[in-house]
Amino acid sequence: MHSHTLRSRSAWVLLGLLPVLLSACGVEHAESTKPAASPTARTSKAKGASTRVGQGVSLLDRAGAAVGKEPVHMDIAITDSLGNIDSVMTMAADPLNQEFEGTTQSTMSGLSGADAVTVVGKFIAIGSRYWAESTPPGGGWHEGTSHPGDPFPLGELLPYLINVHGIPGKFIRGHTTVGVSATLDSHGVRLMEQYAATRSISPAQQIINSIVFNVWTDPDHRPREIQLTEHCVQEGHPYQVYETILYYDWGVGVHVANPT
């Protein structure tokens, strides 16, 4: 991964233009020229998937419905198997009132591990407006327009799941959970690529070969933890990107203000 690509990606993400580090892989999938499935096709496929895998998809469906209905706080971490990405984020989101805020710190380097750069930033978003600052480059708050989204668009991905199966639950910050693992089919992978591309956080010349994720939900069907593993290739180098999202303080209000 070229260092100048990483600098530009760090600057975009950590200036806080959007509180989304999804996905760390890129946009040149082998099937990217094919059109996305129509809404009708997605609905049909979702029903078929529910019939095939039963309870697993039902749990994910309920989790997808729970996201976006109340405020939530998140801790997000991203690393890769090469050791050249180390990003952490704290985020508070109120999707109903369109208020978001968070802090980020990310250290990235090239494939050789040299020329690392660390960026620390803060962001605030209210409606379609955002404010962000970072060091480097510094210079105070920057303002722009954006459309915040969930760090992991679970509801949109439900129609594209394969190999859905249960995994052991665990205690997460005092909450009991049940676990589900799933793999995205080629349409789902392409959707993830497009989701990342619209936020300008996907380095060029990267390919996602596959994405596997695990979701743990509490008795109220709220996600408590999501783990993603993305199997990627860039310039002939295969590697994996690991992302963990911890959800907590569901229902705790988020109140942010214009920082300027």
Side-chain angles (χ1 to χ4, degrees):
M1 190 179 296
H2 295 303
S3 60
H4 73 272
T5 301
L6 287 163
R7 284 196 186 92
S8 63
R9 179 169 180 243
S10 298
W12 177 269
V13 173
L14 295 171
L15 275 172
L17 301 187
L18 270 181
V20 182
L21 284 170
L22 174 85
S23 134
C25 292
V27 296
E28 293 191 4
H29 192 269
E31 297 183 343
S32 60
T33 57
K34 294 183 180 180
S38 67
T40 300
R42 288 198 295 270
T43 301
S44 175
K45 186 171 183 182
K47 291 179 180 178
S50 298
T51 300
R52 287 195 303 273
V53 300
Q55 186 179 14
V57 162
S58 177
L59 288 170
L60 292 176
D61 196 10
R62 292 171 183 170
V67 173
K69 290 185 175 180
E70 59 184 321
V72 65
H73 297 245
M74 288 166 274
D75 291 336
I76 304 170
I78 297 178
T79 59
D80 71 359
S81 59
L82 300 174
N84 67 352
I85 299 175
D86 186 4
S87 297
V88 294
M89 172 187 292
T90 60
M91 176 180 171
D94 183 345
L96 294 179
N97 293 316
Q98 289 292 288
E99 295 187 8
F100 305 81
E101 66 177 347
T103 61
T104 61
Q105 178 172 313
S106 184
T107 300
M108 300 184 183
S109 61
L111 286 173
S112 64
D115 203 15
V117 57
T118 297
V119 182
V120 178
K122 299 178 181 178
F123 60 83
I124 290 173
I126 304 173
S128 62
R129 300 174 66 193
Y130 73 82
W131 297 264
E133 64 175 358
S134 69
T135 303
W141 290 92
H142 304 266
E143 183 177 351
T145 58
S146 66
H147 298 280
D150 191 278
F152 186 70
L154 179 60
E156 297 178 41
L157 297 172
L158 290 175
Y160 309 110
L161 304 181
I162 57 176
N163 192 28
V164 180
H165 58 277
I167 56 176
K170 58 182 179 177
F171 285 97
I172 301 175
R173 298 191 178 189
H175 297 274
T176 59
T177 66
V178 295
V180 179
S181 180
T183 301
L184 289 175
D185 67 11
S186 60
H187 290 294
V189 169
R190 196 156 62 249
L191 179 63
M192 289 278 279
E193 292 170 333
Q194 295 168 357
Y195 190 86
T198 60
R199 288 151 176 78
S200 298
I201 60 174
S202 297
Q205 299 179 342
Q206 287 189 323
I207 298 171
I208 303 177
N209 285 332
S210 64
I211 300 175
V212 178
F213 62 90
N214 299 329
V215 179
W216 286 271
T217 62
D218 65 22
D220 293 319
H221 310 300
R222 300 184 184 103
R224 289 290 170 177
E225 182 175 339
I226 296 178
Q227 295 178 354
L228 281 80
T229 300
E230 301 179 1
H231 298 270
C232 309
V233 176
Q234 183 180 12
E235 298 177 355
H237 297 277
Y239 64 101
Q240 293 78 47
V241 175
Y242 310 105
E243 180 172 358
T244 299
I245 307 171
L246 288 170
Y247 296 80
Y248 59 97
D249 286 349
W250 283 95
V252 176
V254 177
H255 305 286
V256 301
N258 179 337
T260 60

